Amino acid sequence: MANASSMKIRVEELESGMITAENVIEPGTERILLLRDTILDSVMIFNLKERYNVDEVYIRKNFSAATVADEMRAEIDIHQSLSTLKEVFGSDEDKPLTEFSKEATKQISNVTNELITSLYADDNILLKMHQLQSYDDYTYKHCLRVAMMSVTIGKSLDLPRNKMRDLCEAALLHDIGKRTIDVDIIRKPGRLTDEEFEAIKKHPQNGYLLLRKNGSYSEEILNGVLMHHEKYDGTGYPLKLRGEQITYLARIITVADVYDALTSNRPYRQPWSVAEAEEFMMGGANTHFDYDIIMAFLAAFAPYPVGDRVLLSDGNKAEVISNNTNVLRPVIKILTGENADEVIDLYNDFKYLTLSIKCLDKDGSTGE
Ligand SMILES: [Fe+2]
């Protein structure tokens, strides 16, 4: 069955600016080369064709020249932010950082301006985030994505704009302390010894000290960096703070940090699906995470966007019609089986309590 919103085209026909409608998998393997909703550029298209021998790709229909132009602009902006971050963090080849310069402060402030402006201009910040999914440059991309996600959650929590700036800067810099740690430990591919792990666990306080020495950062920002590995129930590190002892901004950054780590493409494992990761995050509400922040996060990052096809626990297929406050239980229209065409509210209709969404329907949405 063809999906109304996507079409399959040959790699030779791909053009920069087209958007993938499905994950692109390397032929003969399970490896994800590009995630769904990636805006293709010429390098990606070249790699799909020449390096990975991909034949066909599902792309989104209905993108007008205007939206492509907007999205291409977004792509340029995001790459600018990324290269600024690279400069600030320095290359992995460098010696550990002992100082955070005033120039770096200015650059972080510029990236913050860019992200906050995009967010309030109702620019599609989530779409931009998807462009940052690939194996290379994990650290900078991780920091940028955590910042984008943090401000998106902040907006959903109605944080005032000045707090949003603090949130964004703290999120961009949350892992800066890793640059103070011996590069050999950070880059070690195998299992870390206990000692090495302890050294890495020092990155929150090292980041805090590095930025405090710089003198331009508020306590809010410094604490966001210091507390981003604390957990709501007191089982985190380095201070084992609990509940509201952990600052509000730090609690937001923690949610974005963990979610991004779970859903990122890493060389040693497949990313978790959005739904799996969100299920995990929901399970951690009130233990690892602040309940209200998890709710704001789930509202901002619905795992089953309207129009997506899903597979149900009874084996039937359905289409998402609208989202509920519990984003794992949206309103759906059944597409197959004896109840085909029926519209069901998985959250409010108790008749369907035992029916759940198993996963996105890969076959349905790939137009089989
Ligand atoms: Fe960290």
Side-chain angles (χ1 to χ4, degrees), residues 133-158:
Q133 286 284 8
S134 63
Y135 291 112
D136 57 326
D137 296 340
Y138 174 74
T139 311
Y140 325 111
K141 288 181 178 172
H142 169 70
C143 292
L144 196 48
R145 280 192 306 259
V146 169
M148 289 164 138
M149 241 185 278
S150 297
V151 293
T152 306
I153 299 169
K155 194 177 171 200
S156 150
L157 287 163
D158 274 335

Side-chain angles (χ1 to χ4, degrees), residues 70-71 74 114-128 152 155 161:
D70 285 348
E71 283 161 356
E114 173 73 38
L115 294 186
I116 301 275
T117 310
S118 303
L119 188 77
Y120 285 102
D122 219 19
D123 201 353
N124 197 339
I125 202 158
L126 298 183
L127 191 65
K128 284 183 176 182
T152 306
K155 194 177 171 200
R161 202 146 166 164

Side-chain angles (χ1 to χ4, degrees), residues 30-151:
E30 299 272 282
R31 193 156 83 105
I32 298 175
L33 298 172
L34 292 174
L35 284 179
R36 191 174 78 157
D37 291 338
T38 300
I39 298 178
L40 296 173
D41 62 25
S42 54
V43 178
M44 292 173 190
I45 296 171
F46 176 85
N47 281 338
L48 291 179
K49 219 178 341 185
E50 306 297 334
R51 214 165 134 204
Y52 297 110
N53 295 319
V54 173
D55 286 334
E56 293 172 323
V57 172
Y58 286 91
I59 59 144
R60 275 209 242 150
K61 279 188 203 165
N62 307 329
F63 58 92
S64 68
T67 56
V68 170
D70 285 348
E71 283 161 356
M72 289 301 281
R73 241 193 327 274
E75 189 174 29
I76 293 162
D77 293 343
I78 215 67
H79 286 137
Q80 178 59 46
S81 299
L82 195 64
S83 56
T84 307
L85 275 190
K86 275 188 193 179
E87 254 179 80
V88 170
F89 277 70
S91 122
D92 275 354
E93 306 299 324
D94 294 347
K95 302 192 296 295
L97 270 189
T98 54
E99 203 181 340
F100 195 78
S101 70
K102 294 286 181 191
E103 180 53 32
T105 304
K106 213 167 93 195
Q107 287 175 312
I108 287 296
S109 170
N110 290 342
V111 175
T112 297
N113 288 342
E114 173 73 38
L115 294 186
I116 301 275
T117 310
S118 303
L119 188 77
Y120 285 102
D122 219 19
D123 201 353
N124 197 339
I125 202 158
L126 298 183
L127 191 65
K128 284 183 176 182
M129 244 170 58
H130 278 293
Q131 299 167 348
L132 296 172
Q133 286 284 8
S134 63
Y135 291 112
D136 57 326
D137 296 340
Y138 174 74
T139 311
Y140 325 111
K141 288 181 178 172
H142 169 70
C143 292
L144 196 48
R145 280 192 306 259
V146 169
M148 289 164 138
M149 241 185 278
S150 297
V151 293

Side-chain angles (χ1 to χ4, degrees), residues 174-175 178 203-204 228-229 237 257:
H174 75 281
D175 267 347
K178 285 197 178 158
H203 77 270
H228 78 271
H229 281 289
Y237 65 89
D257 186 26

Side-chain angles (χ1 to χ4, degrees), residues 297-364:
F297 155 79
L298 291 171
F301 296 85
Y304 303 116
V306 172
D308 265 21
R309 305 278 173 111
V310 291
L311 263 186
L312 301 174
S313 50
D314 68 359
N316 280 314
K317 298 180 177 195
E319 183 175 333
V320 178
I321 303 293
S322 65
N323 267 290
N324 276 312
T325 42
N326 180 337
V327 289
L328 295 175
R329 300 192 67 79
V331 179
I332 53 170
K333 183 178 169 192
I334 309 282
L335 299 172
T336 59
E338 48 188 44
N339 295 328
D341 285 337
E342 200 176 329
V343 172
I344 288 176
D345 184 336
L346 286 176
Y347 186 52
N348 291 305
D349 197 337
F350 293 110
K351 210 166 77 191
Y352 297 102
L353 209 58
T354 55
L355 185 66
S356 62
I357 293 178
K358 235 171 99 189
C359 55
L360 286 171
D361 175 19
K362 301 254 173 12
D363 293 339

